[in-house]
Amino acid sequence: MSRITITRPDDWHLHLRDAEHMRAVLPDTARRFARAIVMPNLKPPVTTTALALQYRDRIRAALPAGAAFEPLMTLYLTDNTQPAEIEKAKRSGVVHAVKYYPAGATTNSDSGVTDLEKCRGVFEAMESCGMPLLLHGEVTDPAVDVFDRERVFLERVLAPLVERHARLRVVLEHITTREAARFVATAPPRVAATITAHHLLINRNALFTGGIRPHHYCLPVAKREEHRRALVEVAVSGIPKFFLGTDSAPHARHTKETDCGCAGIYTAHAGIELYAEAFDAARSLDRLQGFASHFGPDFYGLPRNSENITLERSEWRVPDELAFGPDKLVPFRAGGKLKWNLV
Ligand code: NCD
Ligand code: ZN
Ligand code: ZN
């Protein structure tokens, strides 16, 4: 197959940042995807419906002329989030999920949840109105090895949570392990997962190829090859619980190339092309449409998109760096080749 036409995809996990940084990256996503679940980890975080509405207005105002792109907003869960805020969010029609960050787990997660017990009432409100909970699924216990933090999260946090809240819909975001793939595959239908393109394409060796590679550093950090293979297996399986979420996470070059570099990989410049490459390598291009365009809206209870996009097999070179407002960023595969192109 050298050309493939699929329903226009959506990105179910995206970081757009704000202001001039947002204006720099938004066109990459809007060109490929019809909708995206926009992460709320701004500084300060998007903790209320009112803040989400304002952020949505800023995104829409920054869209290139003629772009038909719809930002789907999320709320940042804190220890102080009230059940009434969830009801307000649901009524707004523009907030589609609530995001759980364990405090300190990842970029801008300082206001995240310190104690799940404090969120019981909020989770009950989410169960009642069918609002999904999106999870950054890692424990922050410094005694747990950084490569085990997702696996331990499944046992310590996710399994009890799914059990205690029998109607809660959850999406385990950016899964990186065989254990997470298996957990989600065997859980009830209300439990789903997103998978990034980079976790389908690289393993942890990519962090250390010939030297330390800060642009391959993200959280959860890439794992061993056997885990990458397990992710590819479920991504191409046709199981509707697994769908596309790029976790494209732009950071200025100087904040990654430093002695304490930020976590996050920018993939929006090739947000669908990279998945095409991963599915092609697994000889499963026929499964791309379900994963990229159907299973996400089905899970969120939204209509599938009606337009199509076409990808063709033709090599192109990724720039060494991209403008990022007043800064620069280094995109995934910078200076390297990509095998698929958006027509
Ligand atoms: C994300 C970011 O930069 O906002 N970074 C990352 O490594 N994935 C945060 C996140 O999704 O955990
Ligand atoms: Zn995360
Ligand atoms: Zn993310």
Side-chain angles (χ1 to χ4, degrees), residues 13 15 17 41 99 101 106-107 136 174 217-220 247 249 251 263-265:
H13 182 137
H15 299 272
R17 314 303 188 204
N41 62 333
K99 182 64 190 269
Y101 291 100
T106 186
T107 305
H136 180 105
H174 47 41
Y217 175 59
C218 67
L219 288 170
D247 191 21
H251 289 275
I265 298 180

Side-chain angles (χ1 to χ4, degrees), residues 49-67:
T49 306
L51 288 170
L53 284 164
Q54 290 164 21
Y55 186 28
R56 178 173 181 265
D57 286 345
R58 295 197 296 279
I59 297 167
R60 284 159 55 103
L63 279 171

Side-chain angles (χ1 to χ4, degrees), residues 7 13 17 34 41 66 71 73 77 82 86 90 96 121 123 137 144 172 206 213 227 237 250 254 270 309-310 322:
T7 302
H13 182 137
R17 314 303 188 204
N41 62 333
M73 309 313 291
L77 185 65
Q82 298 300 313
I86 304 300
K90 181 70 184 183
H96 292 268
F123 294 154
V144 177
L172 186 57
R213 301 291 186 155
H227 294 285
S237 67
H254 68 273
I309 61 159
T310 297
L322 298 172

Side-chain angles (χ1 to χ4, degrees), residues 93-149:
V94 306
V95 175
H96 292 268
V98 174
K99 182 64 190 269
Y100 164 91
Y101 291 100
T106 186
T107 305
N108 300 343
S109 61
D110 301 347
S111 324
V113 176
T114 61
D115 182 2
L116 265 185
E117 279 302 304
K118 296 189 175 149
C119 303
R120 264 182 194 244
V122 165
F123 294 154
E124 281 161 15
M126 292 172 67
E127 288 181 274
S128 301
C129 70
M131 173 86 68
L133 178 67
L134 317 182
L135 302 135
H136 180 105
E138 289 192 289
V139 294
T140 53
D141 182 348
V144 177
D145 188 277
V146 67
F147 292 99
D148 295 332
R149 287 182 185 177

Side-chain angles (χ1 to χ4, degrees), residues 236-290:
V236 306
S237 67
I239 300 173
K241 296 160 146 268
F242 298 96
F243 45 84
L244 184 156
T246 63
D247 191 21
S248 180
H251 289 275
R253 177 172 210 147
H254 68 273
T255 66
K256 286 187 71 71
E257 297 176 5
T258 178
D259 62 1
C260 188
C262 295
I265 298 180
Y266 186 72
T267 52
H269 64 296
I272 188 65
E273 298 89 326
L274 289 163
Y275 285 101
E277 188 172 315
F279 276 62
D280 191 15
R283 299 176 186 279
S284 302
L285 273 175
D286 57 322
R287 295 287 170 85
L288 182 62
Q289 175 169 258

Side-chain angles (χ1 to χ4, degrees), residues 7-221:
T7 302
R8 188 172 202 84
D10 303 301
D11 184 350
W12 300 95
H13 182 137
L14 175 68
H15 299 272
L16 283 176
R17 314 303 188 204
D18 212 345
E20 64 263 67
H21 287 139
M22 183 249 287
R23 285 193 285 279
V25 297
L26 180 60
D28 279 346
T29 292
R31 188 168 163 241
R32 294 167 175 82
F33 298 99
R35 297 168 288 197
I37 284 277
V38 180
M39 289 296 131
N41 62 333
L42 304 182
K43 285 185 238 173
V46 181
T47 50
T48 64
T49 306
L51 288 170
L53 284 164
Q54 290 164 21
Y55 186 28
R56 178 173 181 265
D57 286 345
R58 295 197 296 279
I59 297 167
R60 284 159 55 103
L63 279 171
F69 171 77
E70 193 189 347
L72 308 174
M73 309 313 291
T74 58
L75 290 193
Y76 186 114
L77 185 65
T78 73
D79 288 349
N80 303 316
T81 306
Q82 298 300 313
E85 192 62 50
I86 304 300
E87 285 143 25
K88 200 188 275 180
K90 181 70 184 183
R91 277 198 307 273
S92 76
V94 306
V95 175
H96 292 268
V98 174
K99 182 64 190 269
Y100 164 91
Y101 291 100
T106 186
T107 305
N108 300 343
S109 61
D110 301 347
S111 324
V113 176
T114 61
D115 182 2
L116 265 185
E117 279 302 304
K118 296 189 175 149
C119 303
R120 264 182 194 244
V122 165
F123 294 154
E124 281 161 15
M126 292 172 67
E127 288 181 274
S128 301
C129 70
M131 173 86 68
L133 178 67
L134 317 182
L135 302 135
H136 180 105
E138 289 192 289
V139 294
T140 53
D141 182 348
V144 177
D145 188 277
V146 67
F147 292 99
D148 295 332
R149 287 182 185 177
E150 181 176 279
R151 183 175 58 72
V152 173
F153 182 88
L154 303 173
E155 299 155 12
R156 283 194 198 165
V157 183
L158 189 54
L161 179 74
V162 167
E163 170 120 355
R164 188 182 315 127
H165 295 278
R167 288 184 300 149
L168 189 62
R169 303 175 63 70
V170 307
V171 184
L172 186 57
E173 301 285 345
H174 47 41
I175 61 169
T176 61
T177 57
R178 181 181 43 207
E179 290 83 0
R182 188 172 301 152
F183 182 99
V184 171
T186 56
R190 65 192 166 90
V191 179
T194 56
I195 309 180
T196 76
H198 48 279
H199 288 115
L200 295 175
L201 291 166
I202 62 170
N203 62 37
R204 66 189 193 176
N205 284 353
L207 282 141
F208 307 108
T209 318
I212 192 148
R213 301 291 186 155
H215 302 291
H216 285 159
Y217 175 59
C218 67
L219 288 170
V221 69

